[in-house]
Each structure stands twice: as C-alpha cells, then as structure tokens.
Amino acid sequence: MSFLGLHISSSGLFTARTALDVTAHNISNANTTGYSRQVAEQRATNPLPTATGKGMIGTGSEVYGINQIRSFYLDTKYWSENTILGEYSVKKTQLSLIESLFNEPSDSGFNVIFNSFYDAINGVVNNADSGEHRSALMQAAVSLTEYFNTVAQSLKKYQRDLNFEIKTKVEEINVIARKIQSLNKQIYKYEMDGSKANDLRDERAKLVDQLSKIVNVEVEEIEVNPDVLSGKYSGVEYRDKSEKHFRVKINGQILVDHFYATELRLVPRENAAGDALLYNPEDIEGLYDIKWANGLDFDITDPNLQGELKGYIDMRDGNNGQNFKGTLDSAVNTGTGSVLLTISNPSRTDLLRGNGILVANGYKVEYSNLKYDAATNTITIEVDETRWNEVKKPVTNVEIGNSIDYKGIPYYLNRLNEFVRTFARAINEGKDRMGQDIEGMFGGHVNGVNLNGEKGYYFFTYKENNIVKGKDDFTTDVLRYEMITAENFSLSKDLLENVSNIAAALDGQGLPSGNGFMEALKALRNNTHLFREGTADSYMNSIVSELGINAKQANMFEETQTNITLAVENQRLAISGVNINEEMVSMIQFQQMYNAAARMISVMDAIYDVTINRMGVS
C-alpha cells in the first residue's frame, strides 16, 4: 500500500480527463441536430481495509459509464405532436392550391364567367334575330364549359401529384426502417458489454423524429433477458446484463422489431389483366394502394392514421364518405363461373367504368360488367364465383371504393360534376335535380325552336375521346347525364357548328324574333330549387365557401400544432440540449480537478523521492 496515494491520484487524473473529453464532445456537438447531452458517470472504487484492521481506506475514483440525458416521455410526446403537424401542413398546402384554381373573387373566376353567360342570354332575349348576339352566347357558353374543363383537369393533375407524393413517402418510410434496423444491429453490438452507444442512439431517435412526421409511430425498447425481468439483477449489474430490443410501430403495425424490418409496397389499382380499377368515379387511373410486404392491406381508411401520409391520402381520396353504397337484392350464379349481383338503392349512378372493387362484409371482390337500369334504379355487376363464395354470408349492403371522411379532390370533382349535370339537364330538358319539370322552362332547349323552325337540339352535351356529341349521336338513345363530367362538359356540337341552332323561340312564336325560351332561360338563374343550395350561383359559391373554410381550418390547425410541437421541442432541448454556459462551468470544474490530481501526483512524487532517495543521506 506504499504507493496507494499515487494510484488514487492517477485515478482522479484519468477520471477528470474522461469528464473533460465528454464535455469537449458536448461542446463540439452543441449545434448538431438531434444530439443529446452526455455526462460521465463517476463513482468511488472499492476501498481496502487498513493494515491495523480498523476502518477502510479509499482507492480513488472511476468513470463507470457515459450516458446521454434524454426523456423518453418528451420524445414520445414530440412524436405524437409532430405527426399531427405533418398531416395539417400537407392539407394546408394542398387546399391552398385548390383554392387558387377557383380563383374567387377575381376577374377570371366563375362568377364573372357566369355573369357573362347570362349577359349573353339577355342579349339574345333582346335581339333573337341577331347572329352576332347568338355568336356571343355561343362564345360565353364555351367559356363556361372551358372553365369547368380547366378546373377539373387541374384537380386531376393535383391528384396525380398527390399519388406521387404518397409513393415518395412510402419509399421514405422504407428507407428509414432499413436505417433503424441497421442501427439496431450496431447498437446491440456495441452495448453487449454494458456500454451505451449514445451517438448511435441519437441518430436512431432522429430517424424516428423524421418518421413521426410522415406517419403516427409507437416506439418501445423491450427487455428480453429473463433474469433481468425476474429481478435477479439490479443496479450496475442490471445495466451490464440488460438486453433490450428496439421496436417501432406505424399506425399500430410493426415496422421494425430489433434486427427485423418489414416494408410497405405500392400496388397500382388494377386487375389481373392490367385494367385500371377506380374506387371513386372521379379518380384518375394508376392510383396506388399501400400494402405490407406480406400482402396485407395497409388500411388507409383507419381513423387512427395520421401524419403527412394521412394528409396526402385524405387529399387524394377524400370523398366526404360519399362512396358508392347499395343494398344487395340478389346473387345469382350465371353458370359460367361468375355470380350476377343485383343492387338496389344505389347512392351513386355515375360509375362510368364497368369494373372495380366491391366490398361486402369487409371482403374485397373485383367486379366487372357494371350496368345501371334507370327504370328500376338498380345496378347489376358480375363477380367471380369462387371469390364470392369466400365472402361471409349473409350480405345485406355492399360498397364500392373507400369511404374517406374528408373533402379531398374526389369530393370537389363530384361537386363540380353535380353542377354541370344538373345545369345541363335543366337547360336541355327543363328538369330539376330530382327529374321533375321546372315551371316555366317549357321542356327545355330540346323543345325550343331554332331559327330554322327546328326542335330537338341539346344545348349542352359532352366530349368523348375529344369528340363533342351532337343531336345525331342520340338518335337511338337518350343523353345520359351521368356521362357528363366537369372535365368533358361541352356546348353541343350542333350549336358549335351553327349558332342558328340555338333555340330562342317557343312553339307558335314568330321567327326570327321569337325569344320565349331565352326569357325562360334568363329566369332560370333565379330558380332557388335548382340545387339543394338554391340557385346555380349559390351552389358554386357554396363550393368556394366550404373550400375556404376547410383551408382556413387546416391553416389554423397547422399554426396551432406548430406552436405545440415547438413547445415540446423546447422542453426536450431544455433537458437534452447542450448549454454552452453550463458546459464551460463543467469544463473549468473538471480542469481544476485534473490540475489538483496532477498536483497531488507531484506531491506524492516528492514524498517518495525523499523517502527513497534522500533519507539517511548526510
């Protein structure tokens, strides 16, 4: 024990030096995003009994661990708030883009174009025999149809962009999962001896920060050593024997579990033949569904789903719950391997594509050959007999597509489609949205008389394959208004080619000055029963208003959530962040400790020099 003092002093020297190194590491990472402050955990080494047997004498100090200062509670709270922020940041941006499409109020918005249309109608009322005023009406009607065409095309472009953003976010989730998996392996390797891979843990937590903005996450570190779980070890032994596995869930499903990571996959909505399957009639082709690597669906309708992914899905697929719903009346085997389903009380009749996905009792089945019978108000479709037999019976109600309770692009497209269909039918045939005759419309434009004394011309039709439909296209069939969409809405081919075909007069009125139908059309603008919202102007203004309300709400939520997330982040930084002033104080403290230990070694050296080399020297 002669040199115990020297040993004690040297242990203090090394302890202070390690603490200085940790302090230097903190200072150098003061501005590193995601870095957590580290501390050197110090303790006294085991004492030794004295030679006299009375008492114990200390043997110095040691650093037994370097730990990071981090609050898992605040991490969890930050991830939760960051997820909500991600969702509303996306919705704020996307709703702002949609608002700009409607461009109200402005000199080029709907109200100006609609006013011009009715100004042109008024011109024909006063000058029914004027080719110039008829041409002006034709141009105003074209401007009106092109307004809807442009808005619808732009909305579909946004839907395509959102689909790409969903693809990007899914790929980002997979990349983050693989990185977390790799870090789990590294951390497990470095911590096998009881050490802490603090910097790797910070990097992993930073990845979870990124993931939490994309999708809602749950994180847990699970103890798997049964001896530790049983309480066999405690204190420092617990730290040395502990074996923890890091697990990350997204939307309640495991994404990473220790060394194992699964993936999400993007699956185009199409059948085995590669034909597109549309969940909403307004959808573009090529939209992605999300599935797990094992083939199970990633439920995009889950009300618990949050984050940027939720924001993009709501904006891409949101139909305000207005997907197709109906009552299954009968299911009859055709004898050719398929089952013919008859569905009554359909909530929508504008399912233009003949194939898609049917949901019955939670089971998805592809259908084909969809047909609508207006006389009985029923829809018939065919499904594969084998697949239908797998559906749990009995089946009462069926759905087509996903019910997404948010007003996204399909919802606004549907609202525009409803306007052009209702408005076209009112002008063409003088019928309201319920199919009832509108008082004072005299059967619509088809019963009006053109300059040549002819009847039977539609005012509005639609384009199919960029070809505008006209009177001759409906000689053996009637105009089906569910075929009209905001994207293909058009002035009739007959009126585009010859403005004389515009019907201004009614039966019995003299030509060319008869203007009875134009008078009726002029009065239609003030018909408060044309739409549920009232007049045509009121209907369109209601779309703009609810869009504005939704955008304002998203903006308010985003602003509030930004403040909440920032507050939680500041709480995290208060605990985990590096404070330069505090580190400078620690640096001076450890420097003094180091100098004192070094000075103690010098003193002990002098003592030993005298004791060994100088005692007894004359």
Side-chain angles (χ1 to χ4, degrees):
M1 296 178 63
S2 302
F3 295 96
L4 182 59
L6 189 61
H7 170 76
I8 293 172
S9 301
S10 63
S11 70
L13 189 73
F14 290 127
T15 299
R17 173 60 186 272
T18 301
L20 277 170
D21 289 340
V22 173
T23 302
H25 187 55
N26 285 338
I27 292 172
S28 64
N29 285 282
N31 293 321
T32 301
T33 303
Y35 178 79
S36 300
R37 179 168 58 92
Q38 298 179 15
V39 295
E41 301 290 350
Q42 181 179 334
R43 67 183 175 190
T45 51
N46 293 330
L48 295 174
T50 61
T52 62
K54 297 178 180 179
M56 309 273 292
I57 187 168
T59 58
S61 64
E62 67 175 352
V63 172
Y64 68 91
I66 299 174
N67 295 326
Q68 60 181 181
I69 306 301
R70 196 170 192 112
S71 168
F72 184 72
Y73 165 75
L74 289 177
D75 282 340
T76 303
K77 188 169 182 61
Y78 175 80
W79 295 330
S80 175
E81 301 299 343
N82 198 36
T83 300
I84 301 173
L85 175 60
E87 176 182 342
Y88 283 103
S89 293
V90 167
K91 289 179 176 178
K92 170 189 173 182
T93 301
Q94 298 303 321
L95 287 169
S96 177
L97 288 172
I98 297 176
E99 269 192 308
S100 66
L101 285 179
F102 288 90
N103 202 22
E104 292 288 354
S106 74
D107 294 335
S108 58
F110 170 80
N111 286 316
V112 171
I113 294 172
F114 202 56
N115 286 337
S116 297
F117 175 66
Y118 266 94
D119 287 343
I121 289 174
N122 193 53
V124 176
V125 167
N126 298 321
N127 301 276
D129 57 349
S130 169
E132 181 180 351
H133 283 84
R134 286 171 177 264
S135 295
L137 176 56
M138 185 267 286
Q139 290 298 330
V142 168
S143 295
L144 180 65
T145 59
E146 287 180 347
Y147 168 82
F148 285 97
N149 299 161
T150 301
V151 172
Q153 289 164 8
S154 296
L155 285 172
K156 291 199 168 188
K157 178 183 179 299
Y158 286 165
Q159 190 179 45
R160 186 174 292 106
D161 293 343
L162 289 165
N163 195 49
F164 179 77
E165 290 291 348
I166 290 172
K167 177 176 181 289
T168 301
K169 290 302 171 184
V170 167
E171 291 171 348
E172 192 174 344
I173 289 171
N174 290 335
V175 169
I176 291 174
R178 289 192 291 269
K179 287 182 178 179
I180 292 176
Q181 176 194 29
S182 176
L183 284 169
N184 282 348
K185 293 179 180 179
Q186 296 178 60
I187 292 169
Y188 183 78
K189 174 183 175 182
Y190 289 130
E191 294 187 351
M192 288 182 68
D193 63 353
S195 301
K196 288 290 185 181
N198 296 321
D199 295 319
L200 293 178
R201 283 177 168 271
D202 282 340
E203 188 176 344
R204 185 172 66 184
K206 184 178 176 181
L207 287 171
V208 178
D209 285 353
Q210 297 173 16
L211 184 64
S212 70
K213 194 164 189 178
I214 302 172
V215 65
N216 48 311
V217 300
E218 296 174 56
V219 176
E220 54 186 349
E221 204 163 6
I222 303 170
E223 179 63 63
V224 296
N225 187 334
D227 290 333
V228 172
L229 288 170
S230 67
K232 180 178 179 180
Y233 300 110
S234 62
V236 176
E237 283 185 324
Y238 170 86
R239 186 205 68 185
D240 294 339
K241 300 295 183 180
S242 176
E243 182 182 350
K244 293 182 178 179
H245 290 181
F246 191 77
R247 177 182 291 172
V248 180
K249 295 180 180 179
I250 59 171
N251 200 38
Q253 299 296 316
I254 294 176
L255 179 69
V256 182
D257 188 1
H258 198 38
F259 295 165
Y260 169 78
T262 189
E263 285 191 344
L264 294 175
R265 293 179 180 173
L266 294 159
V267 181
R269 292 175 180 172
E270 59 184 28
N271 59 21
D275 297 326
L277 301 177
L278 306 184
Y279 288 1
N280 296 301
E282 300 80 17
D283 286 343
I284 62 169
E285 295 183 0
L287 297 184
Y288 294 116
D289 277 329
I290 306 173
K291 294 182 178 294
W292 290 98
N294 60 9
L296 294 177
D297 288 340
F298 181 90
D299 188 4
I300 63 175
T301 65
D302 187 344
N304 296 317
L305 180 63
Q306 293 177 317
E308 291 176 330
L309 188 60
K310 169 68 170 176
Y312 286 124
I313 289 171
D314 277 355
M315 291 304 305
R316 185 194 71 172
D317 296 343
N319 51 26
N320 201 32
Q322 296 175 6
N323 63 318
F324 173 89
K325 301 176 180 69
T327 303
L328 181 64
D329 283 347
S330 63
V332 180
N333 288 332
T334 62
T336 58
S338 63
V339 176
L340 184 66
L341 306 181
T342 301
I343 302 167
S344 63
N345 304 315
S347 61
R348 303 187 65 163
T349 60
D350 56 345
L351 304 175
L352 305 181
R353 292 293 297 267
N355 60 331
I357 298 289
L358 176 82
V359 181
N361 288 340
Y363 194 88
K364 293 183 178 180
V365 184
E366 289 185 13
Y367 68 81
S368 59
N369 298 325
L370 181 147
K371 296 178 182 177
Y372 173 63
D373 187 340
T376 60
N377 192 31
T378 59
I379 284 177
T380 57
I381 56 176
E382 287 187 33
V383 296
D384 180 77
E385 182 179 355
T386 302
R387 296 284 288 174
W388 181 253
N389 289 338
E390 295 175 3
V391 179
K392 182 180 178 181
K393 307 298 190 301
V395 177
T396 304
N397 299 311
V398 297
E399 295 185 43
I400 296 176
N402 294 321
S403 176
I404 305 290
D405 193 20
Y406 192 79
K407 296 175 182 178
I409 285 175
Y411 172 76
Y412 290 109
L413 278 170
N414 183 37
R415 291 295 307 275
L416 294 178
N417 291 345
E418 183 181 347
F419 178 89
V420 297
R421 289 165 183 162
T422 303
F423 193 64
R425 191 177 189 184
I427 292 180
N428 285 349
E429 301 178 7
K431 295 184 181 297
D432 62 17
R433 68 181 190 279
M434 305 300 295
Q436 303 298 316
D437 289 335
I438 298 173
E439 185 178 356
M441 277 298 291
F442 308 106
H445 192 269
V446 292
N447 286 312
V449 180
N450 68 6
L451 274 178
N452 300 318
E454 299 169 335
K455 297 175 15 177
Y457 290 100
Y458 290 111
F459 194 90
F460 289 119
T461 56
Y462 60 93
K463 291 174 282 190
E464 189 172 51
N465 298 322
N466 289 322
I467 298 175
V468 180
K469 297 283 187 176
K471 178 181 180 180
D472 293 341
D473 296 301
F474 305 107
T475 54
T476 59
D477 199 2
V478 296
L479 171 59
R480 294 173 53 200
Y481 287 95
E482 66 268 20
M483 298 294 292
I484 299 179
T485 67
E487 187 179 17
N488 67 23
F489 186 41
S490 176
L491 190 64
S492 169
K493 173 185 176 182
D494 305 298
L495 275 60
L496 286 169
E497 293 178 347
N498 187 354
V499 296
S500 296
N501 287 326
I502 295 176
L506 296 172
D507 269 341
Q509 291 184 329
L511 299 177
S513 59
N515 64 2
F517 177 72
M518 280 295 138
E519 287 279 10
L521 186 52
K522 179 180 176 181
L524 181 66
R525 182 172 190 177
N526 298 319
N527 189 310
T528 58
H529 302 291
L530 189 58
F531 295 93
R532 286 184 296 272
E533 293 77 5
T535 64
D537 302 70
S538 298
Y539 180 92
M540 287 300 297
N541 288 334
S542 72
I543 297 177
V544 176
S545 295
E546 66 181 333
L547 178 57
I549 291 170
N550 291 340
K552 186 175 181 180
Q553 182 186 57
N555 186 67
M556 180 184 66
F557 284 170
E558 191 268 349
E559 185 176 336
T560 301
Q561 202 58 39
T562 297
N563 294 332
I564 294 173
T565 306
L566 183 60
V568 177
E569 173 65 3
N570 288 337
Q571 289 179 316
R572 283 209 308 180
L573 289 174
I575 293 175
S576 302
V578 176
N579 185 305
I580 294 295
N581 293 329
E582 291 180 0
E583 296 302 320
M584 290 297 292
V585 170
S586 297
M587 182 182 69
I588 294 171
Q589 177 186 353
F590 297 138
Q591 180 189 22
Q592 293 298 319
M593 289 172 55
Y594 186 90
N595 291 339
R599 182 59 181 164
M600 192 66 194
I601 291 174
S602 297
V603 170
M604 297 303 296
D605 178 62
I607 292 173
Y608 292 138
D609 180 50
V610 171
T611 303
I612 296 172
N613 298 323
R614 300 183 188 180
M615 286 184 67
V617 178
S618 59

